[in-house]
């Protein structure tokens, strides 16, 4: 049995089918990357798992506990949200709190930890992402890369069973992408289970254990980085990789 | 000729009128709380578009903003007793309207009037809070109430502070109309005082000074609060004890 088992996840916006019965298993400690053309529901898939979007259908089991994703019970919603944490494209740090308090917030308010303990955990997490020298900086004082590292610390401090990352480097200056990718890589090495949407193909190739190719709300191809990048069987996947210059054979260079 | 304008009296009667300052402040404080609480409720109802309540809220805000405060005070002062008489008559109850002091009517009328204006300020301020931060708060598992208290209100508060301060200043001066509900606050006391010595002009000058000083103090307090809740412009010093650098390039590609 896998740590995370997503079953029959379907989501529509109006008449637009975004996710069409997605099934996905994620094992403990795995880094699963979702790739695919824009508008195919990659972000929506993550957001449904955290119930920031309400799917029409679907369930997820986390470590044996089953959650119905269409639940109306706010107790169940809160319980599921505590199993997963999200890292956003736009960082979404609380701008009226400094780095330390951003990380402490969930520990204090949701986990109800005593202040000293929350602080100890928060400092340790910020240290891991290389931000321990900026505990009292507010988000406005930090660069995009630094903000995203704080956001990753905020998510990891809550010890989620599954860490969701929604294009964590897309809003960053090219120069700052590296430090965030490194932070994610370290989080992966520490054994965190991660579901990641990204366009950083080289990174995915190096860090992910499994890659999902999503198109029109369906998982079209699934495999190890080697299977996906070096020997793509699916025609649509080949086309996608060609378009983003990840599949280079002599024929692809038309002169 | 008797003195046309008694400058000395303007200042010597200040202590006499200050005796009624507590009434003015008490009235202001309660109306402020009613205004903020009801205003927040109206703002939430309107943002969540709760059916029926939403329409009632829209109508309420429109009427409250569209009628003079003095008319509202009269309607409250005369309307509630009439309503109570009806209730007593039809339900056989024996509520005594005379047991309710006039200041209660003034508090309700001023408070509800404030709430209409405050609700619009609060609504605008809440809508200015970044959606992403609300989602982040939800995603770490906060309940709706925790999101409101920990993320939305602190940020909306700093946006709303200045306009709410404006409306508080208007309220302090609005309490001078409470005499319509037979409340003797500072302005009413000034009129009564002047009625004894016919020094009306001096009484109004005294009142002007007191209200202005009051507002001046309030402005200072608001400025202090603004400074306290604002996020510092300057980044704090980076602690140099342990400079943590992330060596980037090699490890990512490895």
């Amino acid at each position: 049995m896998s740590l995370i088992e997503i079953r029959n996840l379907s989501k529509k916006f109006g008449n637009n089918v975004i996710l069409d019965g997605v099934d996905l298993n994620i094992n403990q400690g795995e880094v699963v990357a979702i790739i695919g053309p824009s508008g195919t529901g990659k972000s929506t898939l993550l957001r449904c798992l955290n119930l920031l979007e309400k799917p029409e259908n679907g369930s997820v089991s986390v470590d044996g506990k089953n959650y119905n994703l269409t639940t109306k019970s706010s107790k169940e919603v809160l319980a599921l949200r505590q199993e997963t944490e999200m890292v956003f494209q736009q960082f979404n740090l609380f701008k009226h709190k400094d780095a330390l308090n951003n990380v402490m917030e969930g520990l204090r308010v949701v986990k109800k930890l005593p202040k000293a303990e929350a602080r100890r955990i928060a400092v340790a997490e910020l240290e891991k992402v290389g931000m321990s020298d900026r505990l009292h900086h507010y988000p406005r004082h930090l660069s995009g890369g630094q903000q995203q590292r704080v956001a990753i610390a905020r998510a990891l401090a809550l010890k989620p069973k599954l860490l969701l990352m929604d294009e964590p480097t897309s809003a960053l200056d090219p120069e700052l992408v590296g430090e965030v990718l490194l932070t994610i890589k370290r989080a992966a090495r520490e054994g965190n289970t991660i579901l990641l949407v990204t366009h950083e193909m080289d990174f995915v190739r190096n860090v992910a254990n499994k890659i999902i190719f999503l198109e029109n709300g369906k998982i079209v191809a699934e495999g190890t980085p080697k299977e996906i990048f070096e020997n793509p069987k699916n025609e649509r996947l080949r086309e996608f990789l060609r378009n983003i210059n990840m599949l280079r054979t002599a024929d692809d260079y038309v002169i | 000729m008797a003195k046309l304008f008694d400058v000395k009296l303007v200042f010597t009667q200040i202590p006499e009128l200050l005796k009624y300052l507590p009434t003015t402040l008490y009235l202001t404080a309660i109306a402020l709380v009613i205004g903020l609480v009801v205003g927040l409720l109206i703002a939430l109802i309107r943002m969540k578009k709760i059916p029926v309540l939403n329409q009632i809220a829209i109508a309420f805000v429109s009427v409250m903003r569209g009628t003079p405060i003095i008319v509202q005070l009269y309607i409250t002062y005369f309307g509630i007793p009439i309503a109570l008489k009806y209730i007593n008559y039809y339900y056989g109850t024996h509520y005594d309207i005379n047991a309710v002091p006039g200041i209660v009517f003034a508090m309700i009328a001023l408070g509800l009037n404030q709430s209409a204006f405050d609700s619009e300020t609060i609504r605008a301020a809440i809508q200015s809070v970044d959606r992403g931060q609300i989602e982040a708060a939800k995603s770490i598992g906060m309940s709706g109430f925790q999101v409101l208290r920990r993320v939305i209100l602190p940020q909306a508060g700093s946006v709303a502070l200045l306009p709410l301060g404006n409306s508080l200043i208007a309220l302090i001066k609005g309490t001078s109309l409470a005499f319509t509900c037979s409340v003797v606050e500072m302005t009413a006391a000034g009129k009564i005082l002047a009625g004894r010595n016919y020094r009306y002009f001096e009484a109004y000058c005294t009142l002007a000074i007191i209200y202005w000083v009051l507002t001046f103090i309030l402005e200072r307090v608001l400025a202090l609060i603004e400074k306290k809740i604002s996020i510092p412009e300057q980044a704090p010093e980076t602690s140099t004890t342990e400079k943590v650098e992330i060596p980037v390039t090699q490890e990512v590609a490895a």
Side-chain angles (χ1 to χ4, degrees):
Chain A
M1 197 183 75
S2 301
L3 178 73
I4 311 287
E5 294 182 354
I6 302 164
R7 289 291 171 267
N8 195 27
L9 178 55
S10 301
K11 169 75 189 166
K12 281 188 216 164
F13 285 121
N15 284 329
N16 234 345
V17 180
I18 306 295
L19 294 172
D20 190 4
V22 171
D23 294 327
L24 178 62
N25 289 344
I26 304 172
N27 293 320
Q28 173 82 47
E30 245 181 352
V31 177
V32 177
I34 308 176
I35 60 171
S38 60
T40 51
K42 303 188 295 289
S43 295
T44 309
L45 174 56
L46 294 197
R47 292 168 60 83
C48 284
L49 293 178
N50 215 342
L51 290 175
L52 291 175
E53 304 286 354
K54 280 267 159 126
E56 272 77 42
N57 217 328
S59 68
V60 59
S61 91
V62 181
D63 208 3
K65 253 188 282 174
N66 205 49
Y67 296 91
N68 183 351
L69 290 172
T70 55
T71 182
K72 291 216 161 38
S73 142
S74 57
K75 219 170 139 193
E76 210 179 335
V77 171
L78 291 184
L80 175 57
R81 282 184 181 153
Q82 288 182 40
E83 307 261 29
T84 59
E85 294 304 333
M86 178 88 110
V87 171
F88 298 85
Q89 186 176 355
Q90 301 293 342
F91 335 128
N92 294 349
L93 291 181
F94 306 126
K95 67 171 189 193
H96 62 301
K97 289 180 190 297
D98 61 16
L100 181 64
N101 279 299
N102 260 285
V103 182
M104 281 174 69
E105 186 71 6
L107 297 166
R108 296 276 290 141
V109 178
V110 179
K111 301 235 153 154
K112 312 264 187 229
L113 294 183
K115 197 166 182 184
E117 200 187 341
R119 193 189 153 91
R120 191 181 52 74
I121 296 173
V123 170
E125 289 296 338
L126 283 165
E127 174 138 31
K128 277 195 222 158
V129 299
M131 290 296 294
S132 57
D133 55 341
R134 288 184 166 79
L135 297 181
H136 299 293
H137 283 52
Y138 285 85
R140 68 186 277 189
H141 303 139
L142 299 173
S143 72
Q146 291 169 335
Q147 288 189 49
Q148 193 62 297
R149 278 148 59 194
V150 174
I152 291 170
R154 174 173 73 179
L156 289 178
L158 295 163
K159 303 262 171 291
K161 299 256 169 56
L162 175 66
L163 181 62
L164 305 165
M165 304 187 115
D166 187 4
E167 304 197 24
T169 56
S170 300
L172 295 174
D173 287 348
E175 238 190 328
L176 304 176
V177 169
E179 63 185 60
V180 171
L181 291 181
L182 178 59
T183 310
I184 298 172
K185 192 171 178 180
R186 284 182 180 166
R189 279 208 196 126
E190 274 191 354
N192 289 294
T193 310
I194 301 177
L195 182 59
L196 167 80
V197 172
T198 183
H199 297 296
E200 302 286 339
M201 293 300 157
D202 286 323
F203 179 72
V204 165
R205 209 172 182 155
N206 285 313
V207 177
N209 309 99
K210 182 154 89 178
I211 298 176
I212 307 287
F213 177 65
L214 202 64
E215 197 188 34
N216 295 331
K218 283 198 162 87
I219 295 179
V220 177
E222 180 172 350
T224 61
K226 217 176 157 102
E227 288 163 352
I228 293 285
F229 287 109
E230 284 164 35
N231 188 19
K233 299 235 162 45
N234 182 290
E235 186 42 47
R236 225 354 238 131
L237 173 59
R238 293 170 68 88
E239 193 188 327
F240 174 74
L241 294 173
R242 254 198 305 277
N243 288 342
I244 57 169
N245 293 325
M246 286 300 288
L247 190 65
R248 295 195 178 103
T249 61
D251 319 341
D252 294 323
Y253 292 95
V254 182
I255 304 170
Chain B
M1 193 180 93
K3 257 194 254 175
L4 210 53
F5 178 51
D6 189 347
V7 180
K8 219 176 115 202
L9 183 66
V10 170
F11 294 96
T12 52
Q13 67 186 1
I14 287 178
E16 192 67 27
L17 291 185
L18 278 183
K19 279 184 202 155
Y20 295 88
L21 178 63
T23 312
T24 294
L25 293 182
Y26 180 46
L27 194 53
T28 306
I30 303 287
L32 173 72
V33 172
I34 295 177
L36 289 177
V37 172
V38 179
L40 177 62
L41 280 178
I42 294 176
L44 292 177
I45 286 170
R46 291 204 54 189
M47 281 188 326
K48 293 214 179 276
K49 296 208 165 51
I50 300 169
V52 186
L53 287 181
N54 187 33
Q55 282 76 10
I56 294 174
I58 292 173
F60 173 81
V61 170
S62 175
V63 170
M64 284 312 226
R65 293 201 300 176
T67 50
I69 176 79
I70 193 159
V71 174
Q72 292 166 10
L73 281 159
Y74 278 128
I75 288 179
T76 315
Y77 191 53
F78 294 118
I80 292 182
I82 291 174
L84 213 56
K85 268 186 199 159
Y86 267 100
I87 292 170
N88 282 344
Y89 184 79
Y90 284 107
Y91 296 94
T93 47
H94 297 281
Y95 297 117
D96 182 12
I97 195 63
N98 296 319
V100 184
I103 196 166
V104 173
F105 297 109
M107 283 167 182
I108 293 173
L110 289 169
L112 291 183
N113 180 275
Q114 279 286 297
S115 75
F117 289 90
D118 290 355
S119 72
E120 295 290 277
T121 305
I122 294 171
R123 193 159 64 100
I126 289 180
Q127 278 165 350
S128 77
V129 177
D130 171 29
R131 293 287 317 159
Q133 288 176 52
I134 296 172
E135 286 191 342
K138 283 183 182 167
S139 83
I140 63 175
M142 285 196 205
S143 67
F145 179 73
Q146 286 171 333
V147 177
L148 184 71
R149 213 184 81 64
R150 305 284 311 177
V151 179
I152 300 179
L153 288 185
Q155 293 192 39
S158 55
V159 175
L161 181 70
L162 294 183
L164 286 181
N166 254 342
S167 102
L168 174 58
I169 288 171
L171 172 63
I172 288 194
K173 293 177 295 180
T175 58
S176 64
L177 295 170
F179 68 87
T180 50
C181 298
S182 69
V183 177
V184 182
E185 42 63 64
M186 278 194 305
T187 306
K191 283 184 191 171
I192 292 168
L193 195 67
R196 270 188 246 139
N197 56 13
Y198 294 103
R199 290 284 180 186
Y200 279 97
F201 185 64
E202 287 80 354
Y204 289 127
C205 287
T206 312
L207 285 170
I209 292 170
I210 296 175
Y211 279 108
W212 177 68
V213 170
L214 208 55
T215 306
F216 181 79
I217 294 170
L218 193 65
E219 281 168 348
R220 297 293 99 203
V221 172
L222 284 170
L224 270 180
I225 298 176
E226 192 191 359
K227 199 169 160 206
K228 187 151 175 7
I229 64 175
S230 69
I231 302 161
E233 289 272 335
Q234 286 291 318
E237 289 283 312
T238 310
S239 64
T240 45
T241 44
E242 193 191 4
K243 181 87 182 130
V244 195
E245 275 302 332
I246 292 210
V248 182
T249 38
Q250 304 90 350
E251 208 187 321
V252 176

